[in-house]
Amino acid sequence: MERVLRGLPASGGIVAGPVYLLRWEVPEVAPRFVSDADVEAELARWRRALEAARQRLALVAERTAQHAGPQEAAIFEVQQEMLADRSLVGEVEGFIRDRRGAEHAFDLVMLEWKRRFERAPQPMLRERVGDLTDLHIRVLSLLLELPDRDPVSVPKGTNAIIVTHDLTPSLTVQLDREAIAGLATDEGTSTSHVAILARSLGIPAVVGLRDATARLAGTERAVLDGARGVLVVNPSDEEVDAFLVRAQQAAALEAELRAQANVPAQLADGTRIVLRVNVDIPEESELAAESGADGVGLMRTEFMVLGRTGMPDEDEQYRAYARVVRAFAGKPVVIRTFDIGGDKLPVGGFPTEPNPFLGWRAIRMCLDQPDLFGVQLRALLRAAVHGDVRILLPLVVSVDEVREVRALLADAVRALQQRGADFRANVPVGVMIETPAAAVAADTFVQDADFFSIGTNDLVQYTLAVDRGNVNLAERFTPLHPAVLRLIQRTVEMGARGGLETSVCGEMGSNPLMAFVLVGLGIRHLSVSPRAVPLLKRILRAIPASAAIAAAEAALAAGTAGEAERVVRRLLRAAASDLSPAELGLLGPDQVDMFPRAGAI
Ligand code: PEP
Ligand code: MG
């Protein structure tokens, strides 16, 4: 077997540990019929499996509640209720009485229920399809006597490397940081929600391995290198040593860079760059604040909903936002309204539309459900009392949407006034530029928006028609494509003409090579992952604005993304010549290239 499995980098860090293979897929079931004499025995077998599944769910809920919290554990209570449903149990038992084997009977019922739920007009039912799939897997695994592999069962201190096809919300909430050292998935890319989440949780991760779950038996040991996107199976002692040396070197350099965390982010000629961080879960805010960033440029509120069975209420949202705002003590905190849908799963975790990226998501969904949106707007206005909160709207394509939000904000103000609540009304409202429509028509927003934030993950996806989460397209996801660069350039120009701040909050900004180009295009505000802050500061301080402008001009003049990358890489190395060899090492092809091809280890 190939020992070096190459995927895509998702979250940096090198870890070694036992492989924990998580095959969370519905097992194949062959039709099976039994004789009349065996019906009672099949019924008994089914009831034992049902009871075992209930006990297992109770255990999973209890452990998840301990390490993640009761809201996260609620998903398993819902599944327990579904499993207790009398009509579900009755249908399975009916099929068994018709002389079907227990697993065959259960499989038929689940397939039918999933079909029914998927087509249901009520979103509440469609959202439960993911839970039905979980139950389908769990009960069939028991009936077929397959191994029980809930990630929550990994004992603390195991240092396990979880290898799975994709991370569902119910698997994600089970991840216990004290048991899991690394994460490897067949699916996903550097900008998919799994990768974003792994970075926020600080779990080293490789995604897009395609067939790792098929190749591995689950008995192996492995070394995972998240920054390079490789998983080395059953490494030799020398290989482990080599990785550990690299890990130590990286840690030493990181510590050195972190020691300078409080120097301002500026270019070599003194041009100030405002470097903020992306915060995806409120719990990471205190650590993120220590990165030396100038505030939060993007808080992705939808991660609060991941794996949950319902939306958080106003008080819970207020507490979460206030926590982030307080952690950044007066620095700007840009909080984005729910960007649910697309690759960010809805409540319940099941995409309820055939084409979710072009569907009812983000600002569209919020505007169509003013009651749900109002809760978030009121929580935001209340949190604004504690600092410099700014509201950011995702997936905007038309200025009408901004005006509608302003009207809803006015309603929220009235409601809070009537209630006598403590809040602040004059909160800036910004627009995410993440569709070609918004970039081309950026000028139409300047009267109504207070700032722009370019979401390059989606801007690249929608401009190049490349699904950001599709591993087969990862090489075609090229932020340096001339069309993308021109859209960014236009947005910066329109923002400047309208007197608006224009920042970049997509993953592109976390990458030194790309940041070099963005600064050259006139970007003066970046929002990046907290771990990227020290190195970016170091590199920004080594390059003068003139070199960045020359790089942007060269990139714009290049006919293709590949050509642009080559010329920009050369210019960055020349411009940042005073970096130490170790720092320059971090600019090697794997690290500088945001979406690297398979790199040598
Ligand atoms: C983006 O699209 O670039 C962005 C920052 O938002 P998200 O990755 O959450 O879609
Ligand atoms: Mg986006």
Side-chain angles (χ1 to χ4, degrees):
M1 188 194 89
E2 187 76 58
R3 279 195 321 108
V4 181
L5 307 186
R6 298 176 195 285
L8 301 166
S11 174
I14 298 174
V15 286
V19 167
Y20 191 92
L21 191 59
L22 189 66
R23 282 223 177 89
W24 201 247
E25 289 145 44
V26 178
E28 291 266 334
V29 174
R32 187 172 68 89
F33 289 86
V34 297
S35 66
D36 280 336
D38 288 338
V39 163
E40 280 308 316
E42 278 309 296
L43 278 172
R45 203 164 76 81
W46 149 250
R47 286 173 192 154
R48 276 197 304 278
L50 197 58
E51 184 49 34
R54 284 190 192 131
Q55 285 178 11
R56 184 77 203 162
L57 277 170
L59 185 76
V60 172
E62 186 192 312
R63 293 207 185 136
T64 303
Q66 276 162 15
H67 73 76
Q71 303 284 4
E72 283 74 7
I75 197 167
F76 303 107
E77 281 152 27
V78 170
Q79 293 185 8
Q80 276 177 301
E81 282 165 26
M82 292 171 103
L83 211 48
D85 187 285
R86 298 229 326 241
S87 58
L88 187 146
V89 172
E91 284 176 37
V92 175
E93 299 198 349
F95 276 133
I96 297 177
R97 291 206 168 86
D98 279 346
R99 292 186 294 107
R100 285 180 168 84
E103 72 287 352
H104 179 36
F106 181 70
D107 192 41
L108 287 177
V109 172
M110 291 314 276
L111 290 173
E112 176 50 30
W113 275 53
K114 277 199 275 187
R115 224 182 343 255
R116 224 186 305 145
F117 276 44
E118 271 167 20
R119 294 191 188 141
Q122 308 92 318
M124 283 288 283
L125 285 186
R126 293 200 302 269
E127 285 162 3
R128 298 270 71 85
V129 173
D131 296 307
L132 284 176
T133 303
D134 274 0
L135 292 177
H136 199 173
I137 297 170
R138 187 175 297 287
V139 177
L140 275 186
S141 301
L142 285 161
L143 285 167
L144 298 171
E145 294 178 25
L146 300 173
D148 221 343
R149 312 267 310 161
D150 287 294
V152 85
S153 310
V154 183
K156 288 190 191 297
T158 307
N159 264 352
I161 295 180
I162 299 272
V163 181
T164 186
H165 188 65
D166 201 2
L167 263 193
T168 64
S170 63
L171 293 177
T172 308
V173 297
Q174 294 186 49
L175 297 180
D176 179 356
R177 290 287 290 112
E178 291 175 31
I180 289 160
L183 199 56
T185 61
D186 292 341
E187 295 281 332
T189 66
S190 306
T191 56
S192 57
H193 82 273
V194 178
I196 291 171
L197 191 73
R199 285 195 284 274
S200 299
L201 296 171
I203 302 180
V206 177
V207 295
L209 286 158
R210 293 167 188 272
D211 56 359
T213 50
R215 286 170 180 239
L216 296 171
T219 50
E220 302 86 348
R221 292 189 60 75
V223 172
L224 179 148
D225 184 341
R228 292 191 172 190
V230 290
L231 186 71
V232 182
V233 182
N234 289 332
S236 64
D237 290 346
E238 292 75 40
E239 281 172 323
V240 173
D241 287 347
F243 270 107
L244 293 181
V245 167
R246 278 238 335 277
Q248 276 161 9
Q249 284 169 347
L253 182 58
E254 224 176 294
E256 204 179 299
L257 290 170
R258 215 189 295 272
Q260 306 159 28
N262 291 322
V263 300
Q266 60 185 40
L267 302 180
D269 54 80
T271 308
R272 183 76 165 91
I273 304 293
V274 175
L275 193 56
R276 299 186 186 131
V277 279
N278 294 350
V279 167
D280 302 321
I281 42 180
E283 292 75 23
E284 66 171 322
S285 44
E286 289 79 14
L287 207 64
E290 286 171 20
S291 67
D294 301 308
V296 174
L298 169 68
M299 178 188 176
R300 290 180 166 99
T301 55
E302 61 278 2
F303 279 85
M304 289 171 55
V305 179
L306 184 89
R308 301 254 308 237
T309 51
M311 300 298 282
D313 66 18
E314 186 186 311
D315 280 341
E316 187 185 346
Q317 289 191 44
Y318 159 74
R319 283 194 300 274
Y321 307 147
R323 175 171 179 174
V324 183
V325 175
R326 286 201 186 98
F328 282 83
K331 291 178 181 166
V333 173
V334 178
I335 304 181
R336 181 174 71 185
T337 57
F338 289 125
D339 188 5
I340 295 173
D343 67 322
K344 259 69 66 50
L345 298 162
V347 173
F350 184 76
T352 53
E353 296 181 303
N355 204 343
F357 278 115
L358 303 183
W360 192 57
R361 56 172 291 205
I363 197 67
R364 303 167 185 185
M365 197 197 81
C366 288
L367 287 175
D368 289 352
Q369 299 190 97
D371 291 346
L372 174 148
F373 197 25
V375 173
Q376 183 169 40
L377 295 177
R378 292 193 298 275
L380 286 166
L381 297 182
R382 285 172 58 195
V385 167
H386 304 292
D388 184 356
V389 169
R390 306 175 187 187
I391 296 176
L392 180 59
L393 311 176
L395 209 76
V396 167
V397 294
S398 163
V399 70
D400 296 342
E401 293 157 330
V402 185
R403 293 178 186 149
E404 280 185 62
V405 172
R406 294 220 184 257
L408 291 174
L409 269 170
D411 291 345
V413 166
R414 271 191 296 276
L416 290 168
Q417 265 164 351
Q418 273 169 12
R419 226 201 277 163
D422 201 11
F423 72 99
R424 187 157 65 78
N426 60 337
V427 173
V429 177
V431 166
M432 282 203 78
I433 305 291
E434 51 184 351
T435 59
V440 171
D443 52 306
T444 61
F445 292 102
V446 293
Q447 292 298 325
D448 295 81
D450 296 311
F451 62 97
F452 287 156
S453 188
I454 305 178
T456 52
N457 305 336
D458 279 317
L459 186 62
V460 173
Q461 154 166 277
Y462 291 121
T463 304
L464 305 183
V466 168
D467 176 349
R468 63 193 264 185
N470 186 332
V471 57
N472 297 319
L473 298 175
E475 292 202 7
R476 290 184 165 87
F477 190 94
T478 47
L480 294 181
H481 187 288
V484 178
L485 295 180
R486 288 175 204 178
L487 290 174
I488 295 174
Q489 185 186 36
R490 177 167 172 84
T491 306
V492 173
E493 261 177 40
M494 292 303 136
R497 244 188 251 175
L500 305 192
E501 165 191 312
T502 300
S503 78
V504 168
C505 64
E507 307 306 311
M508 190 177 175
S510 295
N511 174 283
L513 187 80
M514 310 271 180
F516 183 44
V517 177
L518 292 171
V519 165
L521 287 171
I523 291 288
R524 294 290 174 267
H525 298 76
L526 288 169
S527 188
V528 304
S529 79
R531 286 189 66 173
V533 169
L535 177 65
L536 262 183
K537 267 193 191 172
R538 175 74 189 102
I539 288 166
L540 290 172
R541 290 173 69 87
I543 52 176
S546 55
I549 292 168
E553 280 170 0
L556 279 165
T560 67
E563 241 176 78
E565 190 182 314
R566 276 186 293 280
V567 59
V568 172
R569 189 185 303 286
R570 190 167 45 72
L571 292 173
L572 177 58
R573 284 181 171 273
S577 56
D578 75 325
L579 294 181
S580 72
E583 287 162 340
L584 268 176
L586 288 176
L587 298 185
D590 293 317
Q591 272 76 13
V592 171
D593 193 345
M594 179 68 192
F595 307 98
R597 265 57 66 190
I601 61 164

